[in-house]
Amino acid sequence: MNLVSPAPVGDITALGVAGLIGAAAVIASGYASWNVGILHGNITLLASASYATPVLSTAVSSLLLGAVLPLTFWGNVLLVVAGSLAGWWATRRTGRR
């Protein structure tokens, strides 16, 4: 029992602990990669690539949950990608200064 509800608390399993450790490792590596990118990388490319994070997160979540993403979702993904590429193209450096 917990303090708020009379419902029993779930059991701690090896699979649950492995999932927790795996999720923590993925999140930590994401933050570490972001910091390396900010310090040593191409900021414009990093900002453009960051648009992929919510899309990939949603796609992986839908796979894990068995949810089907509608066609409108993927259409909006294409719009976000197009906007990201347009922003990158507009801010890229050319040979002239």
Side-chain angles (χ1 to χ4, degrees):
M1 287 182 33
N2 60 33
L3 297 176
V4 182
S5 167
V9 176
D11 293 333
I12 296 175
T13 64
L15 184 59
V17 171
L20 179 64
I21 291 171
V26 168
I27 291 169
S29 65
Y31 278 111
S33 297
W34 179 263
N35 286 338
V36 169
I38 290 291
L39 293 174
H40 305 291
N42 180 341
I43 299 300
T44 305
L45 180 62
L46 183 65
S48 298
S50 70
Y51 282 108
T53 302
V55 173
L56 291 174
S57 174
T58 303
V60 169
S61 297
S62 71
L63 287 174
L64 290 174
L65 297 172
V68 177
L69 297 173
L71 189 57
T72 55
F73 171 80
W74 295 111
N76 289 324
V77 166
L78 289 176
L79 290 174
V80 169
V81 169
S84 178
L85 291 173
W88 168 78
W89 184 79
T91 59
R92 75 187 198 298
R93 288 188 180 195
T94 59
R96 46 183 199 259
R97 290 195 179 226

